[in-house]
């Protein structure tokens, strides 16, 4: 094993959104100190002075004596062995643009549930190709876990995913708390794609609800989405995996049903008659499913997996298709 995470491995989080803020809170439960790269000066100064993020999860207070906050990306990366990426995928390239420090000697964890726009690859694949980080030094943190409930310390479940089970266990020790239960996996590809696809399907659920479809239809829609997800993963990255596990099905369910789901909310606005641009303006946070819908369709050109739900969402978001007509057509393709 080329790189071993241990208790002494210092962690740093890149990003200052709701999930990045939640991850810093989680890591501080176990680590003596945590690095935090915050490129927004207002947020950085508020964390330092007021011990809170003024934009996200304002009720979370940090022990700033154990935080290494900085707006210098290279300083943050230099001072840690484990780098946790927690920015929206659409901003990943620009966020990492100032990076001069090598990542190839770090263990890089993606907590991003999206595909890098313009690259047609997942975050782990992008970091591997762009920064030369081998897959044995890449990991994923995923699962049905909204930042808002972490802030409230409601019992939540995360999956630590690494190629080497020993690293997954060590990562689990860093993110496990009395309110975070951790499971383990080596399925980097499948779990990362599941976390991308579920955002598309949550948008489909939101669109259906906005159009007035009821619980009966939504249950069928989500069941078919789970099957569609399984087909895609089986074709693109064949492996032994239990897609009923929480990192797959659980994440799909919470994103489709939760009041905290921004992708469901985005779809709901589309179903209620918002234009795509109006919905994007209205959202205060990034809905990863918007970007994933195009990327997944382009990736699927290579594989030809039957994906009627993802195709319907793509048509609505990118081809100007009528939400009502698209959902009506979709109803005849579900079982």
């Amino acid at each position: 094993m080329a790189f071993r995470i241990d208790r002494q491995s210092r962690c740093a989080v890149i990003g200052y959104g709701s999930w990045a803020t939640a991850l810093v809170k989680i890591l501080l439960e176990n680590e003596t100190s945590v690095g935090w790269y915050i490129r927004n000066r207002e947020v950085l100064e508020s964390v330092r002075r007021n011990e809170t993020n003024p934009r996200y999860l304002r009720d979370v207070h940090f022990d700033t004596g154990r935080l290494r906050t900085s707006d210098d990306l290279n300083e943050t990366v230099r001072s840690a062995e484990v780098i946790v990426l927690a920015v929206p995928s659409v901003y990943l390239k620009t966020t990492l643009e100032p990076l001069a420090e090598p990542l190839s000697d770090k263990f890089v964890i993606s907590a991003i549930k999206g595909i890098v726009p313009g690259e047609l690859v997942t975050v782990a694949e992008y970091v591997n190709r762009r920064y030369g980080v081998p897959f044995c030094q890449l990991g994923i943190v995923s699962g049905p876990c909204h930042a808002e409930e972490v802030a409230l310390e409601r019992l939540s479940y995360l999956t630590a995913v690494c190629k080497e089970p020993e690293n997954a266990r060590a990562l689990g020790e860093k993110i496990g708390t009395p309110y975070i239960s951790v499971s383990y996996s080596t399925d980097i590809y499948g779990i990362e794609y599941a976390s991308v696809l579920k955002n598309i399907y949550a948008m489909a659920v939101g669109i259906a609800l906005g159009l007035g479809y009821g619980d009966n239809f939504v249950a069928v829609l989500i069941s078919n989405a789970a099957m569609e997800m399984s087909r895609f993963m089986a074709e693109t990255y064949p492996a032994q995996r239990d897609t009923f596990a929480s990192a797959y099905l659980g994440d799909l369910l919470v994103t489709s049903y939760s009041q905290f789901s921004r992708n469901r909310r985005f779809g709901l606005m589309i179903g209620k008659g918002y234009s795509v641009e109006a919905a994007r303006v209205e959202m205060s946070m990034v809905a990863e499913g918007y970007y994933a819908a195009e990327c997944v369709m382009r990736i699927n050109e290579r594989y030809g997996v039957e994906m009627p739900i993802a195709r319907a969402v793509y048509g609505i978001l990118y081809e100007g298709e009528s939400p009502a007509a698209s959902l009506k057509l979709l109803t005849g393709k579900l079982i």
Side-chain angles (χ1 to χ4, degrees):
M1 187 164 60
F3 193 107
R4 179 70 182 267
I5 303 175
D6 57 34
R7 292 296 302 146
Q8 284 68 49
S9 300
R10 294 167 298 178
C11 297
V13 175
I14 309 300
Y16 62 90
S18 59
W19 188 224
T21 304
L23 285 168
V24 172
K25 170 182 167 59
I26 291 169
L27 288 168
L28 280 173
E29 299 274 5
N30 299 307
E31 304 294 290
T32 55
S33 69
V34 175
W36 193 1
Y37 171 64
I38 304 172
R39 64 175 181 170
N40 181 288
R41 173 57 61 172
E42 174 200 353
V43 174
L44 178 64
E45 291 304 321
S46 177
V47 170
R48 287 175 171 173
R49 287 197 312 267
N50 307 318
E51 303 180 338
T52 62
N53 183 334
R55 295 194 177 186
Y56 305 99
L57 309 186
R58 297 183 185 90
D59 291 334
V60 174
H61 287 261
F62 298 100
D63 178 356
T64 52
R66 296 192 295 125
L67 276 180
R68 307 186 308 274
T69 55
S70 177
D71 59 359
D72 183 331
L73 178 61
N74 288 290
E75 176 188 332
T76 301
V77 170
R78 192 182 307 120
S79 66
E81 289 79 46
V82 178
I83 309 299
V84 182
L85 302 176
V87 298
S89 62
V90 68
Y91 300 132
L92 179 63
K93 291 163 74 172
T94 55
T95 298
L96 296 181
E97 203 169 39
L99 185 63
E101 288 288 318
L103 285 178
S104 55
D105 60 345
K106 309 290 182 181
F107 202 99
V108 181
I109 306 294
S110 171
I112 303 170
K113 297 182 177 183
I115 287 183
V116 184
E119 301 292 333
L120 302 185
V121 292
T122 65
V123 172
E125 290 170 322
Y126 177 75
V127 172
N128 168 258
R129 295 181 188 183
R130 173 65 179 81
Y131 295 99
V133 181
F135 279 102
C136 63
Q137 289 171 219
L138 287 166
I140 308 294
V141 171
S142 192
C145 192
H146 284 300
E148 293 83 356
E149 293 203 355
V150 171
L152 296 169
E153 299 191 0
R154 290 178 176 168
L155 181 61
S156 303
Y157 289 70
L158 286 172
T159 301
V161 192
C162 300
K163 280 290 189 183
E164 299 288 345
E166 295 90 342
N167 278 333
R169 293 281 173 184
L171 175 59
E173 290 180 5
K174 292 181 177 293
I175 61 174
T177 75
Y179 54 90
I180 299 289
S181 179
V182 182
S183 59
Y184 305 94
S185 176
T186 58
D187 186 18
I188 287 181
Y189 309 106
I191 287 179
E192 193 167 27
Y193 266 108
S195 71
V196 169
L197 289 165
K198 56 95 181 184
N199 290 325
I200 302 173
Y201 300 134
M203 284 194 168
V205 169
I207 292 169
L209 291 170
L211 288 167
Y213 286 85
D215 292 343
N216 294 346
F217 175 77
V218 167
V220 173
L221 181 61
I222 295 173
S223 297
N224 279 261
M227 291 187 284
E228 189 168 300
M229 179 189 294
S230 296
R231 288 197 299 270
F232 182 85
M233 288 187 291
E235 183 64 30
T236 55
Y237 293 104
Q240 290 279 20
R241 58 173 64 95
D242 180 5
T243 57
F244 290 109
S246 62
Y248 309 94
L249 180 59
D251 206 5
L252 170 64
L253 292 173
V254 77
T255 311
S256 297
Y257 283 121
S258 175
Q259 61 177 323
F260 297 122
S261 171
R262 63 194 71 170
N263 291 284
R264 179 180 181 272
R265 189 160 66 248
F266 189 100
L268 189 64
M269 286 190 285
I270 297 297
K272 287 182 176 295
Y274 281 70
S275 69
V276 173
E277 285 308 310
R280 292 180 66 189
V281 169
E282 183 80 14
M283 292 285 292
S284 60
M285 295 185 286
V286 173
E288 289 279 15
Y290 171 76
Y291 303 98
E294 180 183 28
C295 293
V296 166
M297 281 297 96
R298 292 181 61 187
I299 291 169
N300 195 39
E301 290 174 1
R302 302 198 301 264
Y303 299 100
V305 179
E306 184 184 1
M307 304 182 76
I309 302 172
R311 177 63 186 82
V313 173
Y314 170 77
I316 292 167
L317 298 183
Y318 287 92
E319 296 184 334
E321 294 179 3
S322 159
S326 296
L327 263 289
K328 179 65 176 176
L329 184 64
L330 181 63
T331 61
K333 300 177 181 180
L334 305 181
I335 58 174

